[in-house]
Amino acid sequence: MSVLDSFRLDGKVAIVTGASAGLGVAIAKGLAEAGADVALGARRAEKLEPTRELVEGTGRRALCVATDIANREDCRTLVQRTRDELGRVDILVNNAGIGTAISALKDTPESFQSVVDVNVNGTFWMAQAAAEAMADGGAIVNISSIMAWLSVGMPQASYMASKAAIIGMTRDLAQQWTGRRRVRVNAIAPGIFRTEMTDHFFDVLEREQIPRVPAGRAGEPDELAAAVVFLASDAASYITGETLVVDGGRTIL
């Protein structure tokens, strides 16, 4: 296999959660362009159709499944339907996530727990279900954030805690599964990207954070998708338990 060939995902089947909007759409399209069939999960199943069209436009197969990853049974259903209808599971991208912007003194148990239920518990339930189904080994890519380390000046205690937890979880799952199950587990920590989640406060990021990015701009969704394809492919076959920061240099300052 040549170096370029090692980045291909031909014959592989991937699952992408949170595939109805934002970075999940770009990730699903990127995996398909690299050769993978893609199962698409999101709570808003009707909003998965445009992503399905993008995947199928590359000549690959797509499957849409309504999925709330905070519900363990939904996670298992998404994996089982992927196996039944696409034949196997080789790659999982744990992209689904939520955030709040509530002052720490005003946050409630219900609000804080809702973020943990999706971002931490949901990531784990999806990883657990996918790893069980990866009979021939595979790759899991968890989406964390540079906010695991770095505050951007907004009240984000639950979100930051959850994204830090994902990095710790990634390291432990890698040590459990890489040797025993041949399932590599890595994370990506995106920096500033304009998405549905960040759109309502992007003007603040543009004014206060982007001037601190050495690259001088926000990231493009395709740039994150390329990093996911790398970690999901054989090009990253000797990488596990790591967190790849994709932030234009924001965290080096």
Side-chain angles (χ1 to χ4, degrees), residues 149-222:
W149 309 283
L150 177 74
S151 172
V152 295
M154 291 180 287
Q156 295 275 319
S158 59
Y159 184 79
M160 292 184 68
S162 71
K163 291 302 184 178
I166 286 172
I167 292 174
M169 183 194 308
T170 296
R171 292 171 66 86
D172 184 75
L173 296 182
Q175 68 88 16
Q176 289 194 50
W177 293 343
T178 301
R180 185 177 306 170
R181 305 190 68 89
R182 293 184 295 115
V183 174
R184 294 183 298 104
V185 187
N186 289 291
I188 289 178
I192 300 169
F193 289 78
R194 187 162 201 157
T195 68
E196 184 181 81
M197 183 183 291
T198 64
D199 195 57
H200 66 287
F201 59 87
F202 195 79
D203 58 334
V204 177
L205 296 176
E206 200 164 34
R207 182 174 64 252
E208 298 180 5
Q209 294 298 320
I210 290 179
R212 304 180 187 182
V213 177
R217 60 175 176 84
E220 296 293 336
D222 287 350

Side-chain angles (χ1 to χ4, degrees), residues 95-144:
N95 171 69
I98 62 172
T100 60
I102 303 173
S103 166
L105 291 178
K106 295 180 180 179
D107 210 346
T108 64
E110 294 77 17
S111 175
F112 197 96
Q113 188 63 51
S114 69
V115 174
V116 172
D117 283 344
V118 173
N119 295 3
V120 182
N121 299 354
T123 293
F124 179 75
W125 298 137
M126 278 304 311
Q128 183 186 66
E132 288 176 345
M134 292 175 173
D136 299 321
I140 295 173
V141 181
N142 297 323
I143 304 300
S144 179

